Amino acid sequence: MTQRTFDSYEHFWPYYVAMHSKAATRWLHLAGTLSGLTVSAYGLLSGRRRYLLGLPVIGYGTAWPAHFLIEKNNPATFGHPGWSLRGDAQMIRMMLAGRDDELAEIAAKWLAENAG
Protein backbone atom coordinates (compact mmCIF):
# COMPACT_ATOMS: atom_id res chain seq x y z
CA MET A 1 0.00 0.00 0.00
CA THR A 2 1.40 3.40 -0.92
CA GLN A 3 2.12 6.17 1.55
CA ARG A 4 -0.90 8.40 2.07
CA THR A 5 -1.24 12.00 3.17
CA PHE A 6 -3.89 13.33 5.56
CA ASP A 7 -5.03 16.80 6.47
CA SER A 8 -6.09 15.92 10.02
CA TYR A 9 -5.78 13.26 12.67
CA GLU A 10 -9.49 12.52 12.28
CA HIS A 11 -8.87 11.50 8.65
CA PHE A 12 -5.73 9.59 9.64
CA TRP A 13 -7.35 7.56 12.43
CA PRO A 14 -9.40 5.10 10.28
CA TYR A 15 -6.33 4.52 8.09
CA TYR A 16 -4.21 3.86 11.18
CA VAL A 17 -6.73 1.32 12.44
CA ALA A 18 -6.89 -0.30 8.99
CA MET A 19 -3.12 -0.78 9.08
CA HIS A 20 -3.87 -2.87 12.21
CA SER A 21 -6.75 -4.81 10.69
CA LYS A 22 -5.76 -8.15 12.20
CA ALA A 23 -6.39 -8.74 15.89
CA ALA A 24 -2.95 -10.32 16.35
CA THR A 25 -1.28 -7.09 15.23
CA ARG A 26 -3.33 -5.01 17.64
CA TRP A 27 -2.63 -7.36 20.53
CA LEU A 28 1.10 -7.41 19.82
CA HIS A 29 1.02 -3.60 19.87
CA LEU A 30 -0.77 -3.67 23.19
CA ALA A 31 1.62 -6.21 24.72
CA GLY A 32 4.72 -4.42 23.42
CA THR A 33 3.57 -0.98 24.51
CA LEU A 34 2.50 -2.06 27.99
CA SER A 35 5.67 -4.12 28.49
CA GLY A 36 7.79 -1.21 27.31
CA LEU A 37 5.95 1.18 29.62
CA THR A 38 6.48 -1.18 32.54
CA VAL A 39 10.22 -1.45 31.89
CA SER A 40 10.51 2.32 31.41
CA ALA A 41 8.56 3.02 34.62
CA TYR A 42 10.89 0.65 36.47
CA GLY A 43 13.85 2.54 35.05
CA LEU A 44 12.38 5.86 36.12
CA LEU A 45 11.54 4.69 39.64
CA SER A 46 14.78 2.81 40.23
CA GLY A 47 17.09 5.40 38.71
CA ARG A 48 18.34 2.91 36.12
CA ARG A 49 18.26 5.21 33.14
CA ARG A 50 19.04 2.59 30.51
CA TYR A 51 15.66 1.00 31.21
CA LEU A 52 13.97 4.15 29.94
CA LEU A 53 14.68 2.76 26.48
CA GLY A 54 12.21 -0.02 27.23
CA LEU A 55 9.26 1.75 25.67
CA PRO A 56 10.73 2.48 22.26
CA VAL A 57 12.82 -0.69 22.03
CA ILE A 58 10.21 -3.16 23.30
CA GLY A 59 7.22 -1.24 21.94
CA TYR A 60 8.51 -0.86 18.40
CA GLY A 61 10.42 -4.14 18.60
CA THR A 62 7.13 -5.99 18.95
CA ALA A 63 4.93 -3.76 16.82
CA TRP A 64 7.00 -3.39 13.67
CA PRO A 65 7.54 -7.12 13.00
CA ALA A 66 3.77 -7.58 13.35
CA HIS A 67 3.28 -5.21 10.41
CA PHE A 68 5.81 -6.99 8.22
CA LEU A 69 4.86 -10.56 9.17
CA ILE A 70 1.13 -10.40 9.96
CA GLU A 71 -0.33 -7.37 8.17
CA LYS A 72 2.13 -7.42 5.25
CA ASN A 73 2.34 -3.61 5.36
CA ASN A 74 4.69 -0.91 6.61
CA PRO A 75 4.13 0.71 10.00
CA ALA A 76 2.26 4.02 9.74
CA THR A 77 4.99 5.42 12.01
CA PHE A 78 7.33 5.60 9.03
CA GLY A 79 5.25 8.32 7.37
CA HIS A 80 3.24 9.75 10.24
CA PRO A 81 5.21 9.42 13.51
CA GLY A 82 3.25 11.89 15.65
CA TRP A 83 -0.20 10.78 14.59
CA SER A 84 0.88 7.13 14.83
CA LEU A 85 1.89 7.59 18.45
CA ARG A 86 -1.46 9.23 19.16
CA GLY A 87 -3.24 6.46 17.23
CA ASP A 88 -1.42 3.76 19.17
CA ALA A 89 -2.49 5.33 22.46
CA GLN A 90 -6.10 5.62 21.28
CA MET A 91 -6.11 2.05 19.96
CA ILE A 92 -4.71 0.68 23.21
CA ARG A 93 -7.20 2.66 25.32
CA MET A 94 -10.03 1.21 23.23
CA MET A 95 -8.65 -2.31 23.58
CA LEU A 96 -8.29 -1.96 27.34
CA ALA A 97 -11.90 -0.75 27.42
CA GLY A 98 -13.02 -3.94 25.62
CA ARG A 99 -13.65 -2.22 22.28
CA ASP A 100 -11.44 -4.36 20.03
CA ASP A 101 -14.46 -5.42 17.94
CA GLU A 102 -15.11 -1.74 17.19
CA LEU A 103 -11.53 -1.40 15.95
CA ALA A 104 -12.02 -4.40 13.66
CA GLU A 105 -15.14 -2.74 12.22
CA ILE A 106 -13.32 0.57 11.61
CA ALA A 107 -10.52 -1.30 9.84
CA ALA A 108 -12.87 -3.37 7.68
CA LYS A 109 -14.86 -0.29 6.66
CA TRP A 110 -11.75 1.71 5.69
CA LEU A 111 -10.27 -1.21 3.74
CA ALA A 112 -13.55 -1.80 1.86
CA GLU A 113 -13.83 1.87 0.94
CA ASN A 114 -10.19 2.16 -0.11
CA ALA A 115 -9.59 -1.16 -1.88
CA GLY A 116 -7.62 -1.02 -5.03
Side-chain angles (χ1 to χ4, degrees), residues 36-56:
L37 279 171
T38 301
V39 170
S40 291
Y42 170 75
L44 188 64
L45 295 172
S46 68
R48 296 180 176 170
R49 298 176 80 150
R50 69 179 180 266
Y51 285 89
L52 296 176
L53 293 173
L55 182 55

PDB file of all heavy atoms in Angstrom, residues 36-56:
ATOM      1  N   GLY A  36       6.818  -2.295  27.396  1.00  0.00           N
ATOM      2  CA  GLY A  36       7.788  -1.211  27.310  1.00  0.00           C
ATOM      3  C   GLY A  36       7.545  -0.137  28.354  1.00  0.00           C
ATOM      4  O   GLY A  36       8.494   0.386  28.960  1.00  0.00           O
ATOM      5  N   LEU A  37       6.286   0.209  28.583  1.00  0.00           N
ATOM      6  CA  LEU A  37       5.951   1.184  29.621  1.00  0.00           C
ATOM      7  C   LEU A  37       6.352   0.685  31.000  1.00  0.00           C
ATOM      8  O   LEU A  37       6.862   1.456  31.822  1.00  0.00           O
ATOM      9  CB  LEU A  37       4.446   1.486  29.598  1.00  0.00           C
ATOM     10  CG  LEU A  37       3.964   2.481  28.565  1.00  0.00           C
ATOM     11  CD1 LEU A  37       2.426   2.505  28.517  1.00  0.00           C
ATOM     12  CD2 LEU A  37       4.501   3.866  28.850  1.00  0.00           C
ATOM     13  N   THR A  38       6.129  -0.590  31.243  1.00  0.00           N
ATOM     14  CA  THR A  38       6.483  -1.177  32.537  1.00  0.00           C
ATOM     15  C   THR A  38       7.988  -1.107  32.773  1.00  0.00           C
ATOM     16  O   THR A  38       8.450  -0.700  33.843  1.00  0.00           O
ATOM     17  CB  THR A  38       5.994  -2.637  32.622  1.00  0.00           C
ATOM     18  OG1 THR A  38       4.579  -2.648  32.444  1.00  0.00           O
ATOM     19  CG2 THR A  38       6.359  -3.276  33.942  1.00  0.00           C
ATOM     20  N   VAL A  39       8.761  -1.492  31.770  1.00  0.00           N
ATOM     21  CA  VAL A  39      10.223  -1.447  31.891  1.00  0.00           C
ATOM     22  C   VAL A  39      10.704  -0.008  32.058  1.00  0.00           C
ATOM     23  O   VAL A  39      11.568   0.283  32.892  1.00  0.00           O
ATOM     24  CB  VAL A  39      10.889  -2.131  30.675  1.00  0.00           C
ATOM     25  CG1 VAL A  39      12.387  -1.891  30.645  1.00  0.00           C
ATOM     26  CG2 VAL A  39      10.596  -3.632  30.688  1.00  0.00           C
ATOM     27  N   SER A  40      10.125   0.914  31.300  1.00  0.00           N
ATOM     28  CA  SER A  40      10.508   2.322  31.414  1.00  0.00           C
ATOM     29  C   SER A  40      10.147   2.895  32.784  1.00  0.00           C
ATOM     30  O   SER A  40      10.926   3.655  33.370  1.00  0.00           O
ATOM     31  CB  SER A  40       9.854   3.150  30.311  1.00  0.00           C
ATOM     32  OG  SER A  40      10.408   2.822  29.067  1.00  0.00           O
ATOM     33  N   ALA A  41       8.969   2.548  33.292  1.00  0.00           N
ATOM     34  CA  ALA A  41       8.565   3.015  34.619  1.00  0.00           C
ATOM     35  C   ALA A  41       9.521   2.481  35.681  1.00  0.00           C
ATOM     36  O   ALA A  41       9.917   3.211  36.599  1.00  0.00           O
ATOM     37  CB  ALA A  41       7.132   2.579  34.922  1.00  0.00           C
ATOM     38  N   TYR A  42       9.908   1.224  35.545  1.00  0.00           N
ATOM     39  CA  TYR A  42      10.889   0.654  36.466  1.00  0.00           C
ATOM     40  C   TYR A  42      12.197   1.451  36.411  1.00  0.00           C
ATOM     41  O   TYR A  42      12.781   1.783  37.442  1.00  0.00           O
ATOM     42  CB  TYR A  42      11.151  -0.817  36.135  1.00  0.00           C
ATOM     43  CG  TYR A  42      12.317  -1.381  36.887  1.00  0.00           C
ATOM     44  CD1 TYR A  42      12.203  -1.696  38.240  1.00  0.00           C
ATOM     45  CD2 TYR A  42      13.553  -1.585  36.268  1.00  0.00           C
ATOM     46  CE1 TYR A  42      13.288  -2.198  38.952  1.00  0.00           C
ATOM     47  CE2 TYR A  42      14.629  -2.091  36.964  1.00  0.00           C
ATOM     48  CZ  TYR A  42      14.496  -2.390  38.299  1.00  0.00           C
ATOM     49  OH  TYR A  42      15.577  -2.874  39.004  1.00  0.00           O
ATOM     50  N   GLY A  43      12.627   1.754  35.211  1.00  0.00           N
ATOM     51  CA  GLY A  43      13.852   2.535  35.055  1.00  0.00           C
ATOM     52  C   GLY A  43      13.740   3.901  35.699  1.00  0.00           C
ATOM     53  O   GLY A  43      14.676   4.369  36.356  1.00  0.00           O
ATOM     54  N   LEU A  44      12.601   4.540  35.534  1.00  0.00           N
ATOM     55  CA  LEU A  44      12.382   5.858  36.120  1.00  0.00           C
ATOM     56  C   LEU A  44      12.368   5.788  37.646  1.00  0.00           C
ATOM     57  O   LEU A  44      13.013   6.596  38.320  1.00  0.00           O
ATOM     58  CB  LEU A  44      11.054   6.427  35.599  1.00  0.00           C
ATOM     59  CG  LEU A  44      10.726   7.863  35.938  1.00  0.00           C
ATOM     60  CD1 LEU A  44      11.749   8.803  35.303  1.00  0.00           C
ATOM     61  CD2 LEU A  44       9.330   8.202  35.458  1.00  0.00           C
ATOM     62  N   LEU A  45      11.658   4.808  38.183  1.00  0.00           N
ATOM     63  CA  LEU A  45      11.536   4.685  39.636  1.00  0.00           C
ATOM     64  C   LEU A  45      12.810   4.192  40.312  1.00  0.00           C
ATOM     65  O   LEU A  45      13.082   4.551  41.457  1.00  0.00           O
ATOM     66  CB  LEU A  45      10.364   3.756  39.975  1.00  0.00           C
ATOM     67  CG  LEU A  45       8.986   4.275  39.557  1.00  0.00           C
ATOM     68  CD1 LEU A  45       7.925   3.197  39.757  1.00  0.00           C
ATOM     69  CD2 LEU A  45       8.635   5.541  40.322  1.00  0.00           C
ATOM     70  N   SER A  46      13.579   3.384  39.625  1.00  0.00           N
ATOM     71  CA  SER A  46      14.782   2.809  40.227  1.00  0.00           C
ATOM     72  C   SER A  46      16.039   3.626  39.952  1.00  0.00           C
ATOM     73  O   SER A  46      17.091   3.344  40.501  1.00  0.00           O
ATOM     74  CB  SER A  46      14.995   1.378  39.717  1.00  0.00           C
ATOM     75  OG  SER A  46      15.333   1.407  38.333  1.00  0.00           O
ATOM     76  N   GLY A  47      15.914   4.606  39.060  1.00  0.00           N
ATOM     77  CA  GLY A  47      17.090   5.404  38.705  1.00  0.00           C
ATOM     78  C   GLY A  47      18.000   4.705  37.704  1.00  0.00           C
ATOM     79  O   GLY A  47      19.120   5.155  37.466  1.00  0.00           O
ATOM     80  N   ARG A  48      17.554   3.641  37.133  1.00  0.00           N
ATOM     81  CA  ARG A  48      18.335   2.914  36.123  1.00  0.00           C
ATOM     82  C   ARG A  48      17.939   3.440  34.755  1.00  0.00           C
ATOM     83  O   ARG A  48      17.036   2.928  34.107  1.00  0.00           O
ATOM     84  CB  ARG A  48      18.099   1.411  36.240  1.00  0.00           C
ATOM     85  CG  ARG A  48      18.592   0.894  37.577  1.00  0.00           C
ATOM     86  CD  ARG A  48      18.374  -0.575  37.701  1.00  0.00           C
ATOM     87  NE  ARG A  48      18.947  -1.024  38.942  1.00  0.00           N
ATOM     88  CZ  ARG A  48      18.765  -2.211  39.441  1.00  0.00           C
ATOM     89  NH1 ARG A  48      18.027  -3.091  38.790  1.00  0.00           N
ATOM     90  NH2 ARG A  48      19.315  -2.543  40.580  1.00  0.00           N
ATOM     91  N   ARG A  49      18.633   4.451  34.332  1.00  0.00           N
ATOM     92  CA  ARG A  49      18.263   5.208  33.142  1.00  0.00           C
ATOM     93  C   ARG A  49      18.209   4.379  31.864  1.00  0.00           C
ATOM     94  O   ARG A  49      17.409   4.657  30.982  1.00  0.00           O
ATOM     95  CB  ARG A  49      19.215   6.381  32.973  1.00  0.00           C
ATOM     96  CG  ARG A  49      19.136   7.336  34.151  1.00  0.00           C
ATOM     97  CD  ARG A  49      20.131   8.407  34.011  1.00  0.00           C
ATOM     98  NE  ARG A  49      19.577   9.385  33.094  1.00  0.00           N
ATOM     99  CZ  ARG A  49      19.845  10.652  33.121  1.00  0.00           C
ATOM    100  NH1 ARG A  49      20.688  11.122  33.995  1.00  0.00           N
ATOM    101  NH2 ARG A  49      19.300  11.471  32.265  1.00  0.00           N
ATOM    102  N   ARG A  50      19.042   3.373  31.746  1.00  0.00           N
ATOM    103  CA  ARG A  50      19.043   2.588  30.507  1.00  0.00           C
ATOM    104  C   ARG A  50      17.703   1.888  30.271  1.00  0.00           C
ATOM    105  O   ARG A  50      17.329   1.597  29.152  1.00  0.00           O
ATOM    106  CB  ARG A  50      20.198   1.603  30.490  1.00  0.00           C
ATOM    107  CG  ARG A  50      20.075   0.468  31.480  1.00  0.00           C
ATOM    108  CD  ARG A  50      21.266  -0.482  31.375  1.00  0.00           C
ATOM    109  NE  ARG A  50      21.147  -1.547  32.321  1.00  0.00           N
ATOM    110  CZ  ARG A  50      21.689  -1.537  33.540  1.00  0.00           C
ATOM    111  NH1 ARG A  50      22.395  -0.503  33.940  1.00  0.00           N
ATOM    112  NH2 ARG A  50      21.533  -2.554  34.340  1.00  0.00           N
ATOM    113  N   TYR A  51      16.955   1.655  31.346  1.00  0.00           N
ATOM    114  CA  TYR A  51      15.658   1.001  31.215  1.00  0.00           C
ATOM    115  C   TYR A  51      14.600   1.931  30.616  1.00  0.00           C
ATOM    116  O   TYR A  51      13.538   1.480  30.212  1.00  0.00           O
ATOM    117  CB  TYR A  51      15.171   0.467  32.569  1.00  0.00           C
ATOM    118  CG  TYR A  51      15.912  -0.777  33.000  1.00  0.00           C
ATOM    119  CD1 TYR A  51      17.075  -0.694  33.750  1.00  0.00           C
ATOM    120  CD2 TYR A  51      15.443  -2.037  32.640  1.00  0.00           C
ATOM    121  CE1 TYR A  51      17.760  -1.827  34.135  1.00  0.00           C
ATOM    122  CE2 TYR A  51      16.125  -3.175  33.023  1.00  0.00           C
ATOM    123  CZ  TYR A  51      17.282  -3.071  33.773  1.00  0.00           C
ATOM    124  OH  TYR A  51      17.958  -4.191  34.148  1.00  0.00           O
ATOM    125  N   LEU A  52      14.898   3.214  30.561  1.00  0.00           N
ATOM    126  CA  LEU A  52      13.965   4.152  29.936  1.00  0.00           C
ATOM    127  C   LEU A  52      13.808   3.857  28.443  1.00  0.00           C
ATOM    128  O   LEU A  52      12.831   4.253  27.824  1.00  0.00           O
ATOM    129  CB  LEU A  52      14.424   5.595  30.155  1.00  0.00           C
ATOM    130  CG  LEU A  52      14.437   6.050  31.612  1.00  0.00           C
ATOM    131  CD1 LEU A  52      15.007   7.466  31.718  1.00  0.00           C
ATOM    132  CD2 LEU A  52      13.052   5.984  32.225  1.00  0.00           C
ATOM    133  N   LEU A  53      14.765   3.154  27.882  1.00  0.00           N
ATOM    134  CA  LEU A  53      14.676   2.755  26.477  1.00  0.00           C
ATOM    135  C   LEU A  53      13.680   1.611  26.259  1.00  0.00           C
ATOM    136  O   LEU A  53      13.423   1.222  25.124  1.00  0.00           O
ATOM    137  CB  LEU A  53      16.051   2.343  25.956  1.00  0.00           C
ATOM    138  CG  LEU A  53      17.082   3.466  25.848  1.00  0.00           C
ATOM    139  CD1 LEU A  53      18.443   2.908  25.487  1.00  0.00           C
ATOM    140  CD2 LEU A  53      16.629   4.483  24.829  1.00  0.00           C
ATOM    141  N   GLY A  54      13.143   1.097  27.343  1.00  0.00           N
ATOM    142  CA  GLY A  54      12.206  -0.017  27.233  1.00  0.00           C
ATOM    143  C   GLY A  54      11.022   0.273  26.341  1.00  0.00           C
ATOM    144  O   GLY A  54      10.632  -0.559  25.523  1.00  0.00           O
ATOM    145  N   LEU A  55      10.450   1.462  26.479  1.00  0.00           N
ATOM    146  CA  LEU A  55       9.262   1.754  25.675  1.00  0.00           C
ATOM    147  C   LEU A  55       9.553   1.749  24.182  1.00  0.00           C
ATOM    148  O   LEU A  55       8.925   0.996  23.440  1.00  0.00           O
ATOM    149  CB  LEU A  55       8.611   3.067  26.102  1.00  0.00           C
ATOM    150  CG  LEU A  55       7.335   3.427  25.335  1.00  0.00           C
ATOM    151  CD1 LEU A  55       6.298   2.312  25.404  1.00  0.00           C
ATOM    152  CD2 LEU A  55       6.751   4.716  25.881  1.00  0.00           C
ATOM    153  N   PRO A  56      10.517   2.533  23.704  1.00  0.00           N
ATOM    154  CA  PRO A  56      10.734   2.483  22.256  1.00  0.00           C
ATOM    155  C   PRO A  56      11.285   1.146  21.764  1.00  0.00           C
ATOM    156  O   PRO A  56      10.856   0.650  20.717  1.00  0.00           O
ATOM    157  CB  PRO A  56      11.712   3.630  21.986  1.00  0.00           C
ATOM    158  CG  PRO A  56      12.350   3.931  23.289  1.00  0.00           C
ATOM    159  CD  PRO A  56      11.354   3.550  24.349  1.00  0.00           C
TER     160      PRO A  56
END
